[in-house]
Amino acid sequence: MQTVFSIGVDALAYGMVLFVISIGLSVTMGLMRVVNLAHGAFAMIGGYIASYAARDLGLAYAVAVMLAVAGTILIAIPIERLLYRRIYGQPELTQVLMTIGITFCIIGIANYVFGPTLKTIPTPETLREPVSLGFRTVSSHRLFVIACGAAVALGLWYFIERTAFGVKLRAAVDNAAMAAALGVRTQVVYAVSFAVAVGLAAFGGVVGAELLPIEPYYALRYMVTFLVVVSVGGAGSIPGALAACLLLGAIDTTGRYLMPEFGEFFFYLAVIAIVWLFPRGLAGRAK
Amino acid sequence: MKKLAIAALAAALMGGVAHADTIKVGVVGPFSGPFGLQGKNFKAGIDAYMALNGNTVGDDTIEIIYRDIPTADPAQSKALSQELVVKEGVQYLAGFYFTPDAMAATPLLEQANVPMVVMNAATSAIVTKSPYVVRTSFTTWQTSTPIAKVAFDGGTKKVISVVSDYGPGVDAEAAFKTGFEAAGGQVVEAIRIPLQTNDFSPIMQRIKDSGAEGVFAFLPSGPTTLGFVKAFNENGLKEGIKFFAPGDLTQESDLPALGDAALGLTTTFHYAVSHDSAENKTFVEAAAKAIGNPAELSFPAVGAYDGMHVIYKMIEATGGDQDAAKAVEAVKGLSWESPRGPVTIDAESRHITQNIYLREVAKADDGTYFNKEIQTFEKQGDPGLKAAK
């Protein structure tokens, strides 16, 4: 029984890390219909900014997180205006080629500027202590990540489903021409959504850095994981992405605990099974 | 195609011998990509050696030709080595960070009359693949065996071993098990985890549940090591369970990222940048200058530095002529004072015999972290070859 609880805690924590990091990609792919392979690169930029702010400038963790999100969005704005705007509505292959190109450029620049070594983001003392849950200890950072995941899920759901902007966004996604005819400034809507997605990527990169450390190849190393989460959850669906992350986190953690020598076998087996049963993901909508 | 290659090779060889004023050394290693730092260390070691000893041996000028192979890729390694021999006319092949890359190039050596100096690849069997292979790095068996003794003598009788599921990991597991059980200890469980593991918490829970008093770990350096060590601390294992590993886990370039989490970890390895000797001081100074950022300096640099020493001795012995057999013969039993301490090329195995040090990660006065050597195991050969027999 203790083992079950113990696996449960780890699974929840790992699932939430996956969620925080991948949800931005779900937004770009599902709502904006852009296959953004540079998502990991934006997460990495966030991580580097936070690492620089907290480690080299000695700023507080919370300030570093905010700087990372704001800084990444600032860097992303010209990229959106000059590059992404051209690929909205283009065939997927064009989008893939361009975004993977952006990824390689960012990897090269990161390697040149920050060097190939790992960068850590120092966490405050309170997030470093192991916390006892009675039957086991867990790092307080994990609890923090779980809370962040829950907050992001709720906030984003409210933003898309309950605000006037969310209505415009959904309208622009479903029929851009009609939305524009009705007075929705689709370019602004897209720009803001892109900024939100990039901000989420940066936020995920920073809070997930304890599990997925920041280094130049971050952008490529975890790309498959992000894409798997989005395709299993169904692009654009927040509950879908949450369910996918928790499910995949649970399967991966259980497999790793009970039969580590099978590697990621169970993880990908589950992915195959889910995509076979739900070709559009757990909560995907028909096009 | 093959005939053509041989003909070209013959032509290249004749050309090489006719005017032997420039001797080319081909170095194959990861100079870009995720392992670019290791290649950078190769280059720093080579540059340091040539800065300190000049770029000539006798009348001959030494020229280094680098070939980049970003990740382990045997086919590419063979192709690049062949190209170096045939097109560039190199007299020596050197470098090789990954075992499969070194293995793939060994069949070329005899035919091409070229010795290979392995500067890193750490699987015992490489030296058996060709009589022209000499190694100046270490083997996983060589660095993992002493830690078993350290663990047992320190009072730990039950150990769980956790390794990444790939060649060197399996080697490390076998080396530790052999050493530890010979001493009288017991390996209660041996876990192999996939290379792409991000979350180590489940593994930590298993370590706890196994009832072991210590854990022996081997993982590739970089993100995996960082994740493992962090999880070890955060899950509260540092109190109660002892940590043993070979020094790959605490290589100097990873220490700033590991930070306080690594403090007190004990590892055994052949080289620490902090090694206290005059030779090492000279080496670190030159290599740090070559690499640019001293914090990036770690063990592949010393393998490359000593590799260059061996190549210089080979060139000296052959007078610049291309004669692989004579070159290799000349360095068998060669002893010298390396930055890591006294070393010898074992005449039988052509692998380097060296001191292995027990180190503990400590914090210097200026806030940087380093591997502090606390015990020396003198003149360690490679137990891996014997184990394979």
Side-chain angles (χ1 to χ4, degrees):
Chain A
M1 203 56 212
Q2 198 169 328
T3 312
V4 176
F5 275 126
S6 173
I7 293 177
V9 172
D10 281 331
L12 181 64
Y14 186 53
M16 280 303 193
V17 171
L18 284 181
F19 176 75
V20 174
I21 296 188
S22 312
I23 186 64
L25 182 61
S26 184
V27 169
T28 27
M29 276 180 71
L31 297 181
M32 302 173 66
R33 304 267 155 83
V34 176
V35 185
N36 184 16
L37 295 187
H39 178 77
F42 289 119
M44 182 175 85
I45 293 176
Y48 272 118
I49 295 176
S51 166
Y52 183 76
R55 219 162 68 141
D56 299 303
L57 303 180
L59 300 174
Y61 186 69
V63 180
V65 173
M66 279 186 268
L67 266 184
V69 173
T72 311
I73 292 175
L74 270 184
I75 291 173
I77 286 172
I79 299 181
E80 197 266 346
R81 292 210 70 135
L82 295 172
L83 298 172
Y84 277 84
R85 205 158 276 191
R86 294 163 193 275
I87 58 166
Y88 293 145
Q90 294 284 318
E92 270 140 10
L93 183 62
T94 315
Q95 300 179 340
V96 164
L97 285 177
M98 200 194 76
T99 52
I100 194 110
I102 294 175
T103 309
F104 279 115
C105 288
I106 294 178
I107 289 176
I109 294 169
N111 205 351
Y112 183 78
V113 177
F114 294 100
T117 48
L118 293 170
K119 294 281 178 289
T120 49
I121 304 164
T123 46
E125 202 61 48
T126 43
L127 290 184
R128 250 179 280 164
E129 303 287 312
V131 176
S132 175
L133 295 180
F135 54 95
R136 63 164 293 184
T137 49
V138 62
S139 90
S140 51
H141 185 267
R142 291 296 163 87
L143 300 179
F144 170 68
V145 172
I146 294 176
C148 285
V152 166
L154 267 177
L156 204 55
W157 172 82
Y158 184 81
F159 178 67
I160 293 174
E161 302 290 333
R162 289 284 182 273
T163 62
F165 182 84
V167 173
K168 286 181 192 168
L169 171 61
R170 282 179 288 139
V173 167
D174 286 340
N175 192 332
M178 181 54 88
L182 291 172
V184 175
R185 294 169 69 190
T186 50
Q187 295 238 318
V188 174
V189 169
Y190 277 136
V192 171
S193 323
F194 187 78
V196 169
V198 167
L200 286 172
F203 183 66
V206 178
V207 299
E210 295 284 304
L211 278 190
L212 316 178
I214 302 298
E215 36 99 31
Y217 280 82
Y218 180 104
L220 277 185
R221 206 185 285 266
Y222 308 114
M223 187 194 285
V224 174
T225 315
F226 304 150
L227 288 172
V228 160
V229 167
V230 174
S231 54
V232 166
S237 161
I238 296 157
L242 190 59
C245 289
L246 295 180
L247 187 65
L248 292 175
I251 290 167
D252 200 38
T253 306
T254 314
R256 199 146 282 165
Y257 184 85
L258 298 176
M259 278 164 282
E261 53 282 347
F262 275 87
E264 302 196 291
F265 177 79
F266 294 108
F267 183 82
Y268 287 108
L269 187 70
V271 171
I272 292 170
I274 295 170
V275 174
W276 182 56
L277 289 172
F278 306 93
R280 291 183 198 287
L282 291 173
R285 291 179 297 181
K287 273 191 188 156
Chain B
M1 188 61 215
K2 200 171 175 193
K3 267 191 186 154
L4 190 70
I6 294 170
L9 182 69
L13 293 186
M14 276 185 256
V17 177
H19 36 89
D21 42 0
T22 300
I23 294 177
K24 292 179 178 174
V25 178
V27 178
V28 179
F31 296 104
S32 70
F35 300 95
L37 185 58
Q38 315 296 351
K40 226 171 145 184
N41 267 291
F42 272 176
K43 195 160 181 305
I46 293 168
D47 287 351
Y49 191 83
M50 295 180 78
L52 294 172
N53 297 282
N55 63 346
T56 52
V57 180
D59 306 331
D60 305 313
T61 310
I62 314 298
E63 187 191 339
I64 310 285
I65 301 171
Y66 292 98
R67 285 291 177 270
D68 182 24
I69 174 160
T71 50
D73 183 348
Q76 178 72 354
S77 167
K78 191 171 181 184
L80 287 177
S81 305
Q82 190 155 336
E83 190 242 86
L84 280 169
V85 169
V86 175
K87 264 182 69 189
E88 299 288 348
V90 301
Q91 275 193 31
Y92 298 89
L93 280 173
F96 300 99
Y97 187 74
F98 297 105
T99 293
D101 294 348
M103 292 274 202
T106 51
L108 300 169
L109 305 178
E110 267 185 275
Q111 206 180 16
N113 194 20
V114 166
M116 175 198 274
V117 178
V118 176
M119 293 173 170
N120 188 69
T123 305
S124 299
I126 300 171
V127 288
T128 63
K129 295 294 165 188
S130 163
Y132 292 167
V133 178
V134 178
R135 177 162 45 198
T136 57
S137 52
F138 63 100
T139 67
T140 306
W141 274 84
Q142 197 176 21
T143 55
S144 299
T145 304
I147 195 80
K149 196 174 150 35
V150 171
F152 188 81
D153 292 349
T156 309
K157 309 290 179 228
K158 281 182 181 172
V159 167
I160 177 169
S161 100
V162 179
V163 302
S164 279
D165 198 357
Y166 74 135
V170 176
D171 261 11
E173 180 190 293
F176 183 82
K177 195 168 192 271
T178 310
F180 197 57
E181 285 178 352
Q186 186 198 354
V187 176
V188 290
E189 214 175 322
I191 305 180
R192 293 179 185 174
I193 52 178
L195 270 176
Q196 288 87 9
T197 300
N198 302 327
D199 181 12
F200 293 94
S201 299
I203 305 295
M204 295 306 146
Q205 197 56 36
R206 257 191 90 164
I207 294 173
K208 243 184 196 171
D209 295 349
S210 73
E213 299 154 346
V215 56
F216 170 77
F218 184 91
L219 305 105
S221 62
T224 26
T225 292
L226 180 64
F228 190 87
V229 173
K230 277 207 158 148
F232 186 77
N233 287 347
E234 285 174 352
N235 288 276
L237 268 69
K238 213 170 184 178
E239 295 89 36
I241 293 179
K242 289 188 180 154
F243 188 98
F244 306 102
D248 311 60
L249 265 81
T250 58
Q251 67 165 292
E252 280 78 4
S253 47
D254 277 350
L255 287 179
L258 290 166
D260 277 346
L263 274 186
L265 294 188
T266 48
T267 56
T268 46
F269 214 38
H270 62 294
Y271 177 66
V273 177
S274 68
H275 182 68
D276 187 20
S277 72
E279 283 81 8
N280 189 45
K281 218 172 152 210
T282 320
F283 163 73
V284 169
E285 212 167 279
K289 211 164 114 192
I291 205 167
N293 178 2
E296 291 179 354
L297 195 63
S298 72
F299 65 89
V302 84
Y305 184 86
D306 287 332
M308 285 312 289
H309 181 76
V310 165
I311 290 174
Y312 271 43
K313 287 289 170 204
M314 285 174 164
I315 295 170
E316 221 174 86
T318 55
D321 295 335
Q322 180 145 17
D323 187 341
K326 194 174 167 191
V328 172
E329 205 53 48
V331 297
K332 281 185 183 170
L334 179 72
S335 297
W336 74 98
E337 192 68 27
S338 151
R340 60 187 115 166
V343 295
T344 307
I345 299 292
D346 179 48
E348 199 190 331
S349 68
R350 286 163 277 107
H351 176 70
I352 195 161
T353 301
Q354 57 192 331
N355 292 348
I356 300 293
Y357 306 91
L358 172 67
R359 312 98 48 87
E360 186 179 355
V361 178
K363 202 170 188 173
D365 296 334
D366 60 354
T368 54
Y369 301 89
F370 69 106
N371 285 303
K372 187 174 154 197
E373 292 175 349
I374 47 181
Q375 192 183 339
T376 308
F377 298 87
E378 279 181 10
K379 291 192 184 142
Q380 299 285 312
D382 178 21
L385 283 174
K386 279 189 214 95
K389 270 175 196 163

